[in-house]
Amino acid sequence: MPEVTIRYFAAARAAAGESTATAQAASVKELVSTVSEGKPELARVLGICTFLLDGERVELDARLNDGALVDALPPFAGG
């Protein structure tokens, strides 16, 4: 199973209590499930995030390779 890093931004970082985490996951969906296990607030925030895989926007079914970097970007407000 690939080992990947997820970086949290804004509300996701606050909910996670850290800026990055490493986990084993084969897809973005599996990564979200793994890192949010037992953390309902993080699960809620990740449920509304956009995800970037190595800088490119992807859907939850995107497959992950070893060493991948996933960014979790919650909606941002502002002008």
Side-chain angles (χ1 to χ4, degrees):
M1 176 113 23
E3 184 167 287
V4 299
T5 299
I6 184 168
R7 290 192 300 189
Y8 304 112
F9 293 89
R13 179 183 294 170
E18 58 189 351
S19 59
T20 63
T22 303
Q24 293 185 338
S27 68
V28 174
K29 183 177 182 175
E30 188 176 315
L31 177 62
V32 168
S33 176
T34 298
V35 299
S36 62
E37 189 173 318
K39 300 177 182 178
E41 180 61 18
L42 180 57
R44 185 191 71 74
V45 173
L46 292 179
I48 59 171
C49 281
T50 297
F51 295 96
L52 303 180
L53 172 57
D54 296 328
E56 299 289 327
R57 185 176 180 185
V58 294
E59 299 299 323
L60 289 173
D61 62 351
R63 305 302 294 169
L64 299 174
N65 295 317
D66 200 45
L69 176 62
V70 176
D71 292 326
L73 305 172
F76 293 94

